[in-house]
Amino acid sequence: MGDQMQVIVEKLNQEPFRKNYNFISFDSLEPLQLLQLLSDVLGEIDPKHAVDIREELPEQTAKRMLNLLGILKYKPPGTVSDLSAFRQGLVTGSKAVIHPVLHWLLQRTNELRTRAYLARFLVKLEVPAEFLQDDTVADFNKQYEELMEAFKNLHKEHEQLKISGLSTAEIRRDISAMEEEKDQLAKRVERLKKRVETVQNHQRMLEIARQLRLEKEREESLAQQKQEQKSQLFHTEQRLQRAQVQLKEMQHMVADSKPESLMKKLEEEINFNSYLVNEKIPREMESKKTSVYFLQKLVAEPAMTQADLTALESEIEEVTAQMNQLIEKRIITYEPADSKFSMYRQQASIISRKKEAKAEELQAAKEEMSSLEKQVEQKNSQAHGLGGSELLTEDEFKQYVSRLRSKNTLYKRRRQEVAEITAEYGILQRTEELLRQRHQATQQQLQAIEEKKGISGYSYTQEELERVSAVKSEMDEVKGQTLDNMSEMVKKLNAMVAEKKASLAPVIKELRQLRQNCQELTQECDEKKMQYDSCAAGLETNRSALEQEVKGLLEECAQEESNYRYINCMKRSLEVQLQRAKEEMKAYVSPEPQERRRAVREQYTRIILEQENLGKKLREKQKVVRESHGPNMKQMKMWQDFEKLMECKRECFLKQQNQAAIGQIIQEGGKDRLVL
């Protein structure tokens, strides 16, 4: 009791009550204050019950609290066995009743708040059966039940979404990351398109690549169809083989057996099945029914305390001891030690137990055989999926395992080589990109050095030289007569080139130094490459795990999208129902009497008036019955006394008749003796 009060005081001093109680102040509360405190706690669970109990009658307070406690599924403790005593204690504000209620409510406030919220929508309104005969009322009742089921489903989905831990912010971040990836992929595609457009006949090559992809997809579909047909053919062959084996077994049995042996086997099977049907299965069914009956009886009983369990255990022990004593007495009384039948009874019981054990073993062996057959079929299908066509012997299986191991080793080695080649390919791509960047940087440095040395335009001059050389070749082909002029021009150009080379000699020396630096950087790049390879080997192991995680998140996103669509559909259906309710309200407020009569509220109002009139008549009839109850009971008592009096007179008359007959017989016997 002290622990209970401690829990109550601690909970009441916390949010949202803030009562600032201690043991003494809480224990000194008046009954009315205890009832108000209980009402405040119930009001925290259900806001409709946040009322001042001084403004309502005690009967209304007790009824309101009992209704809510019934909805919350509160069961009175074992100390309050009588429900009427519990109600009386609740009305009077008894501490023995209210303290356990407060302890139970304060320990599970959040759970009970949810239960009270759901009870507002899930406590079914019972409609009398005679009202359901009306089609309109029946339709509304059906819609009411459907809405209740829809609310249950929506609440379950809401709770699952709350438990799942996914928030809108996380989903938005995922969507924004996906959009960024999409933009990056679009930019990459645009760059690839621009790079491809510089290639000659790129449209024709794209068309050929598209046709190649379609043909590959078609080849894959054909290969899949071929594999499916092979699988179907294999299963068909397996069924044919099993049928042939069964046929051979049946033929062998028929050839080697005689009609007498077949009949004997059939009789044994029939006897076994008859034993199962007539003895074993009915006995098991009876035991199961008995256990189910006791379990149902146990569920129907109220919750039991430890004291009740102890009392039941002691009672069971006493009954067991009495049963053992009665059995011993019965054995001593009806089965003496020298009885010959006791031995036969024991042997019969032993044989029956052995029979039951063997029947169970046979049943278990049959079930095990069927499960083994299923496993054999599964193994056959798995073997076919791996490329096998029939069951292997032990030696063939060992050879297959050795071949599989060698292939596995070869596969791992090839896979490692492919991984190395892939890594090297990525490194080469990165090296190419770095070299291209360095080339561009070197070109820029070269131009800066040319400008610094005063020989800017050397590269342009070289390009111009190449252009002039091209023009020269064209001119040689077109105008062979001007060969001398062109040779002089070439000499001049060569002289100019020699001058440029002489002027560029120091630049070339610097370029050699840059090349040496390039070699050093290349060596450093090789070292970094080795570090990169070691790091890439570690990151590659994490990539597959991240891919699986991303795949799971995508599946969750798809699931959430489907849930979102489902909720939208439910929202539309609820909007349709809301529209129907608005139409009903419009019909109710319509000034036309015909439209108002069609409203459900008007129909229910008429029905309520009829029921109120019927209730008044029944109350008047009840009043008449109460007024005539006393005289009627008195008259019934007089009639019962009269019946007892008449019964007594009848018994006296019968006794008198019997005595007269006995006296007459005695007189006749005396006369006979006198005559003798």
Side-chain angles (χ1 to χ4, degrees), residues 46 191 259 306 429 489 492 501 538 556 579:
D46 190 356
R191 287 199 300 269
Q306 188 64 33
Q429 281 186 339
M489 186 182 295
K492 291 179 181 180
K501 284 182 179 180
E556 291 180 1
Q579 184 64 29

PDB file of all heavy atoms in Angstrom, residues 46 191 259 306 429 489 492 501 538 556 579:
ATOM      1  N   ASP A  46      -9.084  11.822 -21.090  1.00  0.00           N
ATOM      2  CA  ASP A  46     -10.136  12.172 -22.043  1.00  0.00           C
ATOM      3  C   ASP A  46     -10.650  13.566 -21.665  1.00  0.00           C
ATOM      4  O   ASP A  46     -11.232  13.742 -20.589  1.00  0.00           O
ATOM      5  CB  ASP A  46     -11.267  11.148 -21.987  1.00  0.00           C
ATOM      6  CG  ASP A  46     -12.259  11.342 -23.116  1.00  0.00           C
ATOM      7  OD1 ASP A  46     -12.113  12.315 -23.885  1.00  0.00           O
ATOM      8  OD2 ASP A  46     -13.186  10.519 -23.248  1.00  0.00           O
ATOM      9  N   ARG A 191      27.854  16.440 -72.330  1.00  0.00           N
ATOM     10  CA  ARG A 191      29.263  16.459 -72.721  1.00  0.00           C
ATOM     11  C   ARG A 191      29.595  15.319 -73.672  1.00  0.00           C
ATOM     12  O   ARG A 191      30.310  15.498 -74.663  1.00  0.00           O
ATOM     13  CB  ARG A 191      30.140  16.369 -71.466  1.00  0.00           C
ATOM     14  CG  ARG A 191      30.167  17.636 -70.637  1.00  0.00           C
ATOM     15  CD  ARG A 191      31.376  17.643 -69.697  1.00  0.00           C
ATOM     16  NE  ARG A 191      31.351  16.513 -68.791  1.00  0.00           N
ATOM     17  CZ  ARG A 191      30.792  16.535 -67.584  1.00  0.00           C
ATOM     18  NH1 ARG A 191      30.176  17.636 -67.157  1.00  0.00           N
ATOM     19  NH2 ARG A 191      30.836  15.485 -66.808  1.00  0.00           N
ATOM     20  N   PRO A 259      -2.225 -62.796 -54.826  1.00  0.00           N
ATOM     21  CA  PRO A 259      -3.436 -62.114 -54.334  1.00  0.00           C
ATOM     22  C   PRO A 259      -3.565 -62.194 -52.814  1.00  0.00           C
ATOM     23  O   PRO A 259      -4.047 -61.269 -52.176  1.00  0.00           O
ATOM     24  CB  PRO A 259      -4.570 -62.855 -55.038  1.00  0.00           C
ATOM     25  CG  PRO A 259      -3.936 -63.432 -56.260  1.00  0.00           C
ATOM     26  CD  PRO A 259      -2.535 -63.751 -55.901  1.00  0.00           C
ATOM     27  N   GLN A 306      -1.865 -14.292  -6.575  1.00  0.00           N
ATOM     28  CA  GLN A 306      -0.979 -15.356  -6.105  1.00  0.00           C
ATOM     29  C   GLN A 306      -1.636 -16.169  -4.998  1.00  0.00           C
ATOM     30  O   GLN A 306      -1.440 -17.390  -4.900  1.00  0.00           O
ATOM     31  CB  GLN A 306       0.338 -14.742  -5.619  1.00  0.00           C
ATOM     32  CG  GLN A 306       1.411 -15.751  -5.275  1.00  0.00           C
ATOM     33  CD  GLN A 306       1.855 -16.547  -6.486  1.00  0.00           C
ATOM     34  OE1 GLN A 306       1.866 -16.031  -7.589  1.00  0.00           O
ATOM     35  NE2 GLN A 306       2.211 -17.803  -6.276  1.00  0.00           N
ATOM     36  N   GLN A 429      43.205   6.229 -66.995  1.00  0.00           N
ATOM     37  CA  GLN A 429      42.316   7.344 -67.359  1.00  0.00           C
ATOM     38  C   GLN A 429      42.665   8.587 -66.549  1.00  0.00           C
ATOM     39  O   GLN A 429      42.739   9.700 -67.092  1.00  0.00           O
ATOM     40  CB  GLN A 429      40.858   6.947 -67.103  1.00  0.00           C
ATOM     41  CG  GLN A 429      40.276   6.063 -68.186  1.00  0.00           C
ATOM     42  CD  GLN A 429      38.800   5.828 -67.941  1.00  0.00           C
ATOM     43  OE1 GLN A 429      38.322   5.981 -66.830  1.00  0.00           O
ATOM     44  NE2 GLN A 429      38.095   5.441 -68.983  1.00  0.00           N
ATOM     45  N   MET A 489      60.997  30.411-101.347  1.00  0.00           N
ATOM     46  CA  MET A 489      60.184  30.732-100.174  1.00  0.00           C
ATOM     47  C   MET A 489      60.464  29.751 -99.034  1.00  0.00           C
ATOM     48  O   MET A 489      60.553  30.136 -97.863  1.00  0.00           O
ATOM     49  CB  MET A 489      58.698  30.691-100.554  1.00  0.00           C
ATOM     50  CG  MET A 489      57.774  31.161 -99.439  1.00  0.00           C
ATOM     51  SD  MET A 489      56.062  31.048 -99.910  1.00  0.00           S
ATOM     52  CE  MET A 489      56.015  32.245-101.229  1.00  0.00           C
ATOM     53  N   LYS A 492      63.726  30.664 -97.455  1.00  0.00           N
ATOM     54  CA  LYS A 492      63.535  31.792 -96.550  1.00  0.00           C
ATOM     55  C   LYS A 492      62.874  31.340 -95.248  1.00  0.00           C
ATOM     56  O   LYS A 492      63.268  31.740 -94.155  1.00  0.00           O
ATOM     57  CB  LYS A 492      62.696  32.865 -97.223  1.00  0.00           C
ATOM     58  CG  LYS A 492      63.406  33.566 -98.378  1.00  0.00           C
ATOM     59  CD  LYS A 492      62.489  34.595 -99.003  1.00  0.00           C
ATOM     60  CE  LYS A 492      63.169  35.310-100.187  1.00  0.00           C
ATOM     61  NZ  LYS A 492      62.311  36.312-100.815  1.00  0.00           N
ATOM     62  N   LYS A 501      64.833  28.851 -84.090  1.00  0.00           N
ATOM     63  CA  LYS A 501      65.397  27.787 -83.259  1.00  0.00           C
ATOM     64  C   LYS A 501      66.567  28.299 -82.442  1.00  0.00           C
ATOM     65  O   LYS A 501      66.717  27.944 -81.264  1.00  0.00           O
ATOM     66  CB  LYS A 501      65.837  26.625 -84.132  1.00  0.00           C
ATOM     67  CG  LYS A 501      64.693  25.764 -84.650  1.00  0.00           C
ATOM     68  CD  LYS A 501      65.222  24.605 -85.477  1.00  0.00           C
ATOM     69  CE  LYS A 501      64.072  23.715 -85.970  1.00  0.00           C
ATOM     70  NZ  LYS A 501      64.557  22.582 -86.771  1.00  0.00           N
ATOM     71  N   GLY A 538      40.568  -1.088 -50.090  1.00  0.00           N
ATOM     72  CA  GLY A 538      39.721  -0.994 -48.899  1.00  0.00           C
ATOM     73  C   GLY A 538      38.360  -0.394 -49.177  1.00  0.00           C
ATOM     74  O   GLY A 538      37.352  -0.805 -48.612  1.00  0.00           O
ATOM     75  N   GLU A 556      12.396   1.213 -49.881  1.00  0.00           N
ATOM     76  CA  GLU A 556      11.570   1.891 -48.869  1.00  0.00           C
ATOM     77  C   GLU A 556      10.888   3.127 -49.445  1.00  0.00           C
ATOM     78  O   GLU A 556       9.732   3.418 -49.138  1.00  0.00           O
ATOM     79  CB  GLU A 556      12.445   2.282 -47.684  1.00  0.00           C
ATOM     80  CG  GLU A 556      12.941   1.099 -46.868  1.00  0.00           C
ATOM     81  CD  GLU A 556      13.805   1.527 -45.706  1.00  0.00           C
ATOM     82  OE1 GLU A 556      13.981   2.757 -45.545  1.00  0.00           O
ATOM     83  OE2 GLU A 556      14.315   0.652 -44.973  1.00  0.00           O
ATOM     84  N   GLN A 579     -19.069  14.809 -48.994  1.00  0.00           N
ATOM     85  CA  GLN A 579     -20.014  15.450 -49.903  1.00  0.00           C
ATOM     86  C   GLN A 579     -21.425  14.896 -49.702  1.00  0.00           C
ATOM     87  O   GLN A 579     -22.414  15.637 -49.731  1.00  0.00           O
ATOM     88  CB  GLN A 579     -19.538  15.216 -51.357  1.00  0.00           C
ATOM     89  CG  GLN A 579     -20.392  15.907 -52.397  1.00  0.00           C
ATOM     90  CD  GLN A 579     -20.343  17.423 -52.289  1.00  0.00           C
ATOM     91  OE1 GLN A 579     -19.343  17.957 -51.846  1.00  0.00           O
ATOM     92  NE2 GLN A 579     -21.398  18.100 -52.698  1.00  0.00           N
TER      93      GLN A 579
END
